[in-house]
Amino acid sequence: RRMSRRPPVTLLDVFQEHVRRRPRWPLLLFQDEVYTYEDVDRRSNRAARLFARRLGLEPGRPVAVFLPNHPTYVWTWLALAKLGCPMACLNCNVRGRALQHALAAAGATVVLASPGE
């Protein structure tokens, strides 16, 4: 029903509504760390500014993301959504030909990865 609205309601819209209504509610629990909606919003804003300034990311530019299962993944995804950049999610366990194929299919000219990847 929400997708039939014009413009459709996105996950970013839902997230931002939660930030407005419940900024201090917990969103993520990772190991011993709790991240609230406000924390994640602040980190994703910081990442979006960094991506725009240093990488020149603009709306519509696809970005491949090659990150492990970590909170960084969440604010990276939100930062790209805020910038209007489509995100190609690459499985961080894939290597070799499968990874080359995924990168080629994504059409991304930028890959975001953690130092160990």
Side-chain angles (χ1 to χ4, degrees), residues 4-110:
S4 65
R5 292 185 191 163
R6 295 289 174 235
V9 176
T10 66
L11 286 174
L12 178 58
D13 295 329
V14 172
F15 170 76
Q16 290 176 324
E17 182 63 25
H18 281 284
V19 171
R20 279 190 291 280
R21 288 185 180 185
R22 303 170 185 93
R24 291 184 179 79
W25 279 27
L27 173 62
L28 297 173
L29 171 63
F30 184 78
Q31 296 172 350
D32 294 334
E33 292 285 324
V34 175
Y35 299 94
T36 65
Y37 281 93
E38 185 176 56
D39 295 331
V40 173
D41 187 49
R42 193 176 315 112
R43 289 170 189 255
S44 66
N45 287 340
R46 193 175 313 140
R49 283 191 303 274
L50 179 80
F51 296 160
R53 281 190 208 133
R54 296 237 177 115
L55 302 176
L57 294 183
E58 299 173 335
R61 185 170 178 193
V63 177
V65 176
F66 192 59
L67 296 172
N69 187 13
H70 187 272
T72 306
Y73 192 94
V74 176
W75 49 80
T76 298
W77 170 71
L78 287 165
L80 293 173
K82 289 174 179 183
L83 291 172
C85 296
M87 180 172 132
C89 306
L90 303 178
N91 184 329
C92 68
N93 295 311
V94 174
R95 300 286 188 265
R97 285 181 144 186
L99 179 57
Q100 289 175 334
H101 173 74
L103 283 168
T109 56
V110 174

